[in-house]
């Protein structure tokens, strides 16, 4: 049984520092998952915490979506199976979201969104550049917050405000 309603921030590999900053800014609880790879490269994700009724924010920059997408899906599904009341994604960087593409090229942004949307309840990201097509809310089936980091030296407070707004 959960003893607190504090937001649980779970960083995926390489996102520990920004998640720790966000936990401090939001009075959240930082929980580091166990992530490893089997000899064939298959990722393994383990989270040893009772999330029943808790709000969860996965923190994962998507600068290398091929390597990060499967662990992200594992993390989101695991948090849900552990009873999380909601699972959000904080993506300090999102891979190129431009929906324009030459004929025959995969609609990657829409495919990515279609696979991720059922696993999360909200998304906060910084400048994904969907300027040549629809907004993120047009391709994701969850509430989104797109933050403008122009002139911002430290994105942690900006992300914290975006998380607080979307979770109201």
């Amino acid at each position: 049984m959960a003893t607190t309603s504090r937001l649980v921030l779970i960083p995926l590999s390489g996102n520990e520092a920004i998640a720790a900053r966000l936990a401090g800014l939001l009075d959240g609880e930082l929980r580091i998952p166990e992530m490893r790879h089997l000899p064939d490269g298959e990722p393994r994700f383990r989270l040893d915490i009772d999330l029943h009724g808790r709000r969860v924010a996965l923190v994962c920059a998507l600068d290398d979506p091929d390597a990060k997408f499967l662990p992200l899906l594992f993390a989101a599904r695991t948090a849900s199976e552990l009873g999380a009341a909601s699972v959000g994604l904080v993506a300090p960087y999102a891979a190129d979201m431009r929906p324009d593409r030459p004929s025959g090229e995969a609609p990657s942004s829409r495919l990515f969104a279609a696979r991720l949307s059922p696993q999360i309840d909200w998304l906060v990201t910084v400048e994904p550049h969907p300027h040549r097509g629809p907004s993120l809310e047009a391709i994701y089936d969850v509430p989104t917050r797109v933050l403008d980091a122009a002139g911002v030296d430290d994105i942690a407070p900006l992300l914290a405000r975006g998380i607080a707004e979307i979770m109201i």
Side-chain angles (χ1 to χ4, degrees):
M1 176 180 286
T3 59
T4 180
S5 63
R6 292 170 60 202
L7 176 67
V8 178
L9 291 109
I10 301 171
L12 276 75
S13 185
N15 294 275
E16 294 84 0
I18 188 74
R21 292 275 327 280
L22 291 171
L25 291 167
L26 294 166
D27 190 32
E29 179 181 343
L30 180 66
R31 296 302 295 244
I32 307 295
E34 177 187 329
M35 291 182 287
R36 61 185 177 90
H37 287 86
L38 298 176
D40 66 357
E42 181 183 350
R44 287 292 191 216
F45 179 88
R46 179 173 167 73
L47 188 58
D48 191 18
I49 179 176
D50 179 7
L51 293 177
H52 184 75
R54 308 278 307 269
R55 297 172 300 158
V56 171
L58 302 173
V59 182
C60 183
L62 297 171
D63 53 311
D64 185 5
D66 286 354
K68 295 180 178 179
F69 187 64
L70 195 54
L72 176 57
L73 289 180
F74 288 175
R77 183 60 182 224
T78 300
S80 291
E81 289 182 357
L82 289 172
S86 67
V87 178
L89 171 60
V90 180
Y93 174 85
D96 192 357
M97 298 299 294
R98 294 181 179 126
D100 62 327
R101 57 190 165 80
S103 177
E105 186 173 308
S108 57
S109 61
R110 288 194 315 259
L111 290 171
F112 190 89
R115 298 301 172 260
L116 186 56
S117 288
Q119 306 302 322
I120 61 173
D121 298 298
W122 51 266
L123 167 66
V124 173
T125 190
V126 177
E127 301 169 348
H129 307 294
H131 60 275
R132 297 185 193 171
S135 69
L136 283 187
E137 287 188 341
I139 61 173
Y140 280 86
D141 295 330
V142 298
T144 63
R145 290 290 183 278
V146 175
L147 308 172
D148 181 0
V152 174
D153 292 328
D154 181 3
I155 66 165
L158 180 67
L159 287 168
R161 281 192 303 273
I163 295 166
E165 288 172 5
I166 206 161
M167 292 184 57
I168 290 176

